[in-house]
Amino acid sequence: MPIYVFAFATVVEVAQYFDIVKLFGMEENKFISVVIGRTFSFGDLICYAAGCVVFFAVDYVIKNLLLTTN
């Protein structure tokens, strides 16, 4: 699941990089501008990746350490 979330976030960030809202002529639509976003940030990609790593770590701990110790 975290890989899919990261892939989706990366697609959104790439769309922001190319300013897809303006490309499709929807810059007047405030809702679309907020939902998709208008500014690319490499820092966002780093944060998404860090969140996915944390999720993997917590998932590993829960599945392998907490559930297998009886």
Side-chain angles (χ1 to χ4, degrees):
M1 179 65 109
I3 292 172
Y4 297 123
V5 171
F6 182 73
F8 175 76
T10 301
V11 167
V12 171
E13 285 296 321
V14 169
Q16 290 172 354
Y17 178 77
F18 291 108
D19 200 6
I20 198 163
V21 173
K22 185 177 180 182
L23 191 67
F24 288 138
M26 297 184 291
E27 61 266 17
E28 297 299 321
N29 188 328
K30 299 296 181 191
F31 179 75
I32 295 295
S33 292
V34 170
V35 170
I36 295 176
R38 304 276 318 262
T39 57
F40 171 80
S41 174
F42 188 72
D44 286 350
L45 289 175
I46 293 171
C47 289
Y48 299 143
C52 289
V53 168
V54 169
F55 181 85
F56 270 125
V58 170
D59 188 51
Y60 177 82
V61 168
I62 290 172
K63 286 182 179 176
N64 295 315
L65 300 179
L66 297 178
L67 295 179
T68 58
T69 57
N70 290 325

